[in-house]
């Protein structure tokens, strides 16, 4: 990995990396029997596109000054981020089995102090876009060309702070920052349209001064291509609204009404253990 890391971007196939991340993520959560399955699974392809192709990173040197930054604003999806960091070699895969255990390095929400490769401690909804804006503004002021990416949840956009940050980003034309919205149509208490109608997020971000696009959020290649186009933007910051499915890639979880945080019963453990067995077999071939 070190020779690839020296070059900056890893150049990994995002589809292959997505399968690896999803596999590790399921092992991580099925192993403890509970967790934020739904919103972690829906961002797997976004993480694969970012870490596999888009971001300049060195997996063996997560504090490298030349790195791009990712802020996981929806910090409860940290198990997916940890799985991605394990998939590229920043943290050991064996560490994933300690998720949320006493004394673990891997708490249930993203923690920049405990986990190498995590740029921002998140979990309090609405703060990540502001943090990313500050990073992007500071990097530009310092004359640096590092880029910043932030993954926000669709339910999280109920928070007014997100829109204050969006206005700041657009006003300062922070084109070194890309906002990715995980539009999986659900939040903690139910469908987003029932909790607080989001309306058209592409239109909303456009109205706030962004160049905004809808992207197939479970297609890692489509996300990669959208990120390439975003890198070329020079007039307005870019927002990619990812059309995703909560629990993506696992039919049992996709079809579950309340799949934000799931505590597996015996039937759930049986079903997901079978899914994992198939994935393990596929990984060996």
């Amino acid at each position: 990995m070190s020779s690839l890391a020296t070059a900056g971007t890893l150049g990994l196939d995002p589809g292959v990396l997505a399968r690896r991340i999803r596999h590790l993520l399921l092992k991580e959560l099925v192993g403890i029997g509970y967790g934020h399955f739904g919103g972690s699974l829906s961002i797997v392809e976004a993480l694969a596109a970012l870490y596999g192709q888009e971001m300049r990173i060195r997996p063996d040197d997560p504090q490298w000054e030349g790195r791009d930054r990712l802020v996981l604003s929806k910090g409860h999806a940290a198990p997916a981020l940890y799985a991605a960091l394990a998939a590229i070699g920043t943290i050991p895969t064996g560490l994933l089995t300690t998720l949320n255990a006493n004394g673990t390095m891997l708490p249930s929400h993203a923690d920049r102090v405990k986990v190498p490769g995590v740029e921002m401690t998140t979990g309090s909804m609405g703060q990540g876009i502001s943090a990313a804006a500050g990073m992007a503004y500071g990097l530009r002021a310092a004359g640096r060309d590092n880029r910043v990416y932030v993954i926000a949840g669709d339910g999280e956009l109920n928070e007014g702070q997100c829109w204050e940050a969006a206005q700041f980003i657009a006003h300062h034309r922070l084109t070194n920052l890309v906002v990715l919205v995980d539009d999986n149509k659900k939040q903690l208490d139910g469908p987003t349209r029932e909790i607080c109608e989001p309306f058209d997020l592409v239109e909303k971000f456009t109205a706030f001064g962004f160049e905004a696009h809808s992207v197939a959020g479970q297609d890692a290649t489509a996300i990669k291509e959208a990120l390439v186009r975003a890198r070329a933007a020079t007039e307005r910051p870019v927002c990619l609204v990812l059309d995703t499915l909560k629990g993506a890639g696992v039919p049992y979880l996709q079809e579950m009404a309340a799949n934000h945080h799931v505590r597996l019963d015996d039937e759930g453990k049986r079903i997901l253990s079978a899914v994992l067995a198939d994935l393990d077999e596929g990984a060996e071939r």
Side-chain angles (χ1 to χ4, degrees):
M1 189 70 74
S2 58
S3 61
L4 287 172
T6 302
T9 55
L10 299 186
L12 302 176
D13 183 298
V16 172
L17 184 57
R19 289 192 290 275
R20 174 68 170 155
I21 294 171
R22 182 166 276 107
H23 188 188
L24 290 174
L25 169 60
L26 284 173
K27 277 191 171 181
E28 185 181 14
L29 291 178
V30 173
I32 64 171
Y34 65 90
H36 289 97
F37 283 89
S40 294
L41 286 163
S42 60
I43 64 168
V44 165
E45 281 71 24
L47 291 170
L50 287 164
Y51 281 106
Q53 289 276 339
E54 175 62 17
M55 293 198 302
R56 294 180 306 183
I57 53 173
R58 291 181 179 173
D60 54 358
D61 184 9
Q63 293 300 309
W64 173 47
E65 286 192 0
R67 74 191 185 281
D68 293 334
R69 274 76 163 165
L70 171 64
V71 175
L72 181 64
S73 190
K74 46 175 291 179
H76 55 278
L81 177 57
Y82 301 156
L85 292 171
I88 64 170
T90 297
I91 63 174
T93 56
L95 197 60
L96 298 177
T97 62
T98 71
L99 177 70
N100 220 30
N102 289 337
T104 184
M105 285 176 58
L106 304 183
S108 60
H109 287 64
D111 190 313
R112 64 175 293 276
V113 175
K114 292 180 178 291
V115 190
V118 173
E119 297 286 353
M120 181 68 192
T121 299
T122 53
S124 296
M125 294 291 90
Q127 297 178 0
I129 300 180
S130 294
M135 290 179 186
Y137 187 87
L139 288 165
R140 190 177 70 178
R144 305 272 294 278
D145 65 353
N146 313 62
R147 292 176 66 78
V148 182
Y149 302 85
V150 55
I151 299 177
D154 50 359
E156 180 179 9
L157 296 181
N158 292 352
E159 300 284 353
Q161 181 176 345
C162 296
W163 300 103
E164 293 179 49
Q167 190 167 348
F168 176 92
I169 292 163
H171 172 75
H172 290 284
R173 298 185 183 278
L174 298 180
T175 55
N176 59 337
L177 185 155
V178 178
V179 176
L180 299 93
V181 178
D182 178 25
D183 185 18
N184 63 31
K185 325 298 184 297
K186 287 183 179 180
Q187 57 195 95
L188 173 63
D189 297 322
T192 52
R193 286 187 174 180
E194 294 179 9
I195 305 301
C196 188
E197 171 65 68
F199 300 100
D200 189 315
L201 292 173
V202 171
E203 289 184 357
K204 286 173 76 170
F205 272 93
T206 299
F208 269 76
F210 281 67
E211 178 184 323
H213 305 280
S214 179
V215 181
Q218 252 58 81
D219 184 334
T221 299
I223 299 171
K224 177 202 74 171
E225 292 170 351
L227 289 167
V228 169
R229 292 191 293 271
R231 185 177 284 275
T234 58
E235 296 298 320
R236 293 184 293 164
V238 173
C239 173
L240 304 179
V241 179
L242 306 179
D243 183 9
T244 60
L245 184 64
K246 204 152 189 171
V250 184
Y252 172 74
L253 293 168
Q254 288 176 191
E255 296 161 9
M256 187 181 293
N259 60 3
H260 182 83
H261 184 283
V262 178
R263 187 169 292 275
L264 298 174
D265 57 16
D266 289 342
E267 177 68 0
K269 289 177 183 177
R270 184 190 66 77
I271 292 171
L272 293 187
S273 293
V275 171
L276 267 177
D278 288 342
L279 289 172
D280 286 336
E281 184 178 337
E284 292 173 0
R285 288 199 296 266

